[in-house]
Amino acid sequence: KPGGVFVIIDHVAPAGMDETTAVNRLHRINPADVRAEVEAAGFKFDGESAVLASKDDAHDKMVLDPAILGKTDQFMFRFRKPK
């Protein structure tokens, strides 16, 4: 719907890791890749929040690994669909 809001929350991938490995092995994704893909689909970036960020996450474990479960570094982006 034009003017609608689209929010994405996901787990941060390790810096420099290729997207296929990050997604398939760790269930994580590079925030810059997400932003580029959503903007390419016509949405406008409208903000982000660091409320789910975790500096203690080394980004090297799968998000369901018991050692990191519930403590992963996550990003939150908000986009708007142009009117």
Side-chain angles (χ1 to χ4, degrees):
K1 179 176 176 179
V5 175
F6 177 43
V7 175
I8 296 176
I9 299 171
D10 213 332
H11 305 273
V12 177
M17 180 175 272
D18 71 274
E19 186 175 345
T20 302
T21 301
V23 171
N24 291 337
R25 188 168 65 86
L26 302 178
H27 296 279
R28 296 171 178 265
I29 194 159
N30 183 328
D33 292 343
V34 172
R35 182 171 172 174
E37 189 172 327
V38 175
E39 288 178 329
F43 287 83
K44 302 298 179 196
F45 184 74
D46 191 43
E48 63 186 300
S49 174
V51 71
L52 299 175
S54 174
K55 63 180 171 39
D56 297 329
D57 181 0
H59 303 129
D60 61 348
K61 292 181 175 52
M62 199 258 245
V63 300
L64 298 176
D65 186 304
I68 194 73
L69 187 63
K71 298 177 260 181
T72 58
D73 186 19
Q74 298 178 58
F75 65 92
M76 184 184 317
F77 289 162
R78 183 178 64 232
F79 299 88
R80 285 201 182 274
K81 185 168 183 181
K83 293 182 181 184

